[in-house]
Amino acid sequence: MKLSDELPVDHKLATVYRYGAAFCGLTLLVFGVLGFADELSPFSTDGQSIAGMSTNGVLSLISVVVGLALIGGGIVGGNFASTLNMVVGTLFLLSGFVHLFILDRSANFLDFGMTNVLFSFIMGLIILTFGMYGRVSSKLPHDNPYWRRRHARQAAREALAARRRERGEGPALPPGKAADQPALAATSARREE
């Protein structure tokens, strides 16, 4: 079983991934469409500005494509949206670093200015945060599918204890006591398979 299959369709984390991707995608889509509305030339570097950021036709096209991809990820939702957010957020951060070094050089064919670099860093962090929410933390709740995947033995012990409580098979052991009994964990793991 892959980690990408662990998130149930109706899990509350899917909502965060879905709305995060859609919100960021819509922001990029609006920026790209405004660039097309001004009929910018494709590789112009004369400093035309949209929403306080310099842009050209190619940057507008990239913004529209990435915005549509994020909106599509929001529609699909779930782990796909989370993974897409993490990938796009990382690419935005890398783009910010790259463009920081080529601001005043001829390689800056996307006409990035310092405001674009700051926007790239901020948007990258926002998108990345939406993607990592509930997946990367030291204090995930025990019903979180990512916690269950990373702590399979303890999750199996807790599931066994919950099943015993449901069937009324005597008092369930507290999580600390169950952790001291490796035979119980092995039995539970075999039942889970």
Side-chain angles (χ1 to χ4, degrees):
M1 181 177 285
K2 296 185 294 189
L3 185 59
S4 61
D5 298 331
E6 288 295 308
L7 186 65
V9 174
D10 61 346
H11 198 278
K12 60 186 174 184
L13 292 174
T15 306
V16 174
Y17 305 146
R18 181 180 300 264
Y19 288 125
F23 168 74
C24 294
L26 189 60
T27 302
L28 292 171
L29 186 63
V30 167
F31 176 74
V33 168
L34 288 175
F36 284 133
D38 276 1
E39 298 178 8
L40 301 171
S41 61
F43 293 102
S44 170
T45 56
D46 61 358
Q48 290 179 315
S49 179
I50 301 287
M53 292 182 282
S54 55
T55 188
N56 60 25
V58 174
L59 184 57
S60 295
L61 177 64
I62 292 171
S63 298
V64 167
V65 169
V66 173
L68 289 174
L70 285 171
I71 291 171
I75 291 169
V76 172
N79 285 331
F80 178 77
S82 171
T83 303
L84 180 66
N85 284 346
M86 288 194 296
V87 169
V88 171
T90 302
L91 290 175
F92 262 82
L93 291 175
L94 291 175
S95 171
F97 281 115
V98 167
H99 284 95
L100 186 62
F101 291 109
I102 63 169
L103 275 179
D104 294 327
R105 295 188 171 84
S106 60
N108 187 7
F109 63 90
L110 293 178
D111 195 28
F112 259 55
M114 194 57 177
T115 54
N116 297 70
V117 171
L118 292 174
F119 176 80
S120 188
F121 284 138
I122 292 168
M123 184 59 85
L125 287 173
I126 291 171
I127 296 171
L128 197 57
T129 301
F130 276 125
M132 292 190 310
Y133 182 79
R135 285 181 92 161
V136 181
S137 174
S138 62
K139 299 194 184 217
L140 295 173
H142 290 210
D143 69 336
N144 184 298
Y146 300 107
W147 181 90
R148 298 183 73 74
R149 177 72 175 173
R150 291 181 197 133
H151 303 92
R153 285 186 171 176
Q154 187 175 352
R157 287 190 295 267
E158 290 176 5
L160 177 62
R163 282 195 301 272
R164 284 186 171 174
R165 280 193 306 269
E166 288 173 4
R167 289 185 291 208
E169 292 181 1
L173 295 173
K177 291 287 185 185
D180 298 332
Q181 299 180 0
L184 180 64
T187 304
S188 172
R190 282 195 295 269
R191 288 183 186 172
E192 293 279 314
E193 294 172 357

